[in-house]
């Protein structure tokens, strides 16, 4: 099962004990999205050239930074904050993380749909939307 992982900027992620995530946890991801902006964390630094970044690229896992303070950015917080959290349905043993970790099953939110993410690196633009499964 593939997924897209959306997380808060690094300045926010490492303020406590945190959730340990290794490559084995994300190898089925199709994108790693890092949110940054006022109250979330500092702008992410490009990790181009690191071994981890190279592993992502070779595995077709696409990194994406979203700068929420940018006036051109449209981000549907309601979708990410208010859709049902399916974490304990898929991983009941991880119930302790339910307040910090959200697992959104798009088909539970909108039946017969999935999330489509389109990125244009040259234009520096990306868009994600829900699309009906063909």
């Amino acid at each position: 099962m593939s997924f897209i992982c959306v997380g808060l900027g690094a300045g926010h992620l490492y303020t406590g004990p945190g959730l340990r995530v290794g490559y084995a946890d994300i190898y089925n991801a199709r994108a790693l999205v890092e949110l940054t902006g006022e109250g979330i964390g500092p702008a992410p630094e490009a990790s181009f050239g690191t071994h981890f970044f190279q592993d992502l690229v070779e595995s077709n896992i696409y990194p994406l930074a979203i700068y929420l303070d940018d006036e051109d950015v449209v981000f549907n917080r309601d979708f990410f904050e208010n859709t049902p959290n399916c974490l304990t349905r898929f991983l009941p043993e991880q119930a302790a993380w339910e307040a910090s970790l959200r697992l959104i099953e798009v088909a539970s939110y909108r039946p017969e749909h999935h999330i489509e993410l389109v990125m244009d690196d040259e234009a520096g633009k990306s868009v994600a939307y829900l699309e009906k499964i063909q």
Side-chain angles (χ1 to χ4, degrees), residues 99-127:
S100 303
L101 182 63
R102 296 182 52 75
L103 191 148
I104 299 171
E105 182 184 40
V106 173
S108 292
Y109 172 75
R110 183 160 299 157
E112 300 181 30
H113 284 73
H114 70 277
I115 195 163
E116 187 73 27
L117 175 62
V118 179
M119 299 167 59
D120 182 337
D121 190 45
E122 287 183 30
K125 305 254 183 217
S126 59
V127 63

Side-chain angles (χ1 to χ4, degrees), residues 4 15-16 26-27 43 51 63 82 104 106 115 119 129-130:
I4 296 172
T15 59
I26 62 166
Y27 72 92
H51 293 291
N82 296 315
I104 299 171
V106 173
I115 195 163
M119 299 167 59
Y129 56 92
L130 301 185

